[in-house]
Amino acid sequence: YNQSTNELQKSSAKRKRSNKLKEFFKGKVSISNWVGRVSRLGTTSSGNAELKIKLSGNQRISIGTTNNEFTDALQETTLIPIGSKLFDKVSGFSTGDKIRFSGNFIVSDEGSYINEQSITESGSMRNPEFLFHFSEIR
């Protein structure tokens, strides 16, 4: 993507990444025991937890929940509910903590295979933020 000289090449690079993701996951978007560091931890106006992880080995890739109730209602519900066991675990973490996590990526209807939250194409390719539903964190 970074070496592309025009918008057509950039769009092609994004399509190729989507195909590579589809090949990698082979239709199953569940993962177990991936490692990363907490890069964002917060709450919504309703008190639910927002969590973003930077993958170990590639600090430009983020995996996480939405950051507000409205967006979460339009997507697959990804926010971590206040009062849940997962919320209690997450509440003990701080930004920078190394964690292991499991869960599911959210499949996209828009051709990118995995739902990616960046506003621009450039952001989605240079610093992707993949939407994720956490099932276990330690």
Side-chain angles (χ1 to χ4, degrees), residues 8-58:
L8 298 173
Q9 291 174 0
K10 289 178 179 181
S11 289
S12 179
K14 185 173 182 182
R15 188 176 62 252
K16 286 177 184 175
R17 180 185 72 183
S18 296
N19 289 334
K20 290 290 186 185
L21 286 170
K22 191 178 268 188
E23 282 177 33
F24 177 80
F25 286 108
K26 297 178 176 98
K28 183 179 176 187
V29 291
S30 301
I31 61 163
S32 294
N33 295 313
W34 280 26
V35 178
R37 292 198 180 271
V38 175
S39 63
R40 182 173 171 87
L41 186 60
T43 58
T44 64
S45 59
S46 298
N48 295 318
E50 165 199 0
L51 176 63
K52 193 166 289 189
I53 307 295
K54 292 278 189 181
L55 286 182
S56 291
N58 191 329

Side-chain angles (χ1 to χ4, degrees), residues 3 93 118:
Q3 282 74 40
F93 296 143
S118 297

Side-chain angles (χ1 to χ4, degrees), residues 40-118:
R40 182 173 171 87
L41 186 60
T43 58
T44 64
S45 59
S46 298
N48 295 318
E50 165 199 0
L51 176 63
K52 193 166 289 189
I53 307 295
K54 292 278 189 181
L55 286 182
S56 291
N58 191 329
Q59 292 298 298
R60 292 184 300 161
I61 298 175
S62 296
I63 295 174
T65 66
T66 59
N67 63 2
N68 65 75
E69 306 292 339
F70 179 75
T71 304
D72 205 52
L74 296 174
Q75 307 282 342
E76 306 285 327
T77 305
T78 61
L79 292 170
I80 301 168
I82 189 170
S84 68
K85 289 180 182 180
L86 197 55
F87 184 97
D88 292 342
K89 275 188 183 178
V90 171
S91 68
F93 296 143
S94 297
T95 301
D97 284 352
K98 186 175 181 179
I99 63 167
R100 282 194 182 275
F101 62 96
S102 301
N104 299 298
F105 287 97
I106 308 301
V107 176
S108 173
D109 297 343
E110 299 168 12
S112 60
Y113 189 62
I114 301 293
N115 194 319
E116 199 283 324
Q117 298 292 291
S118 297

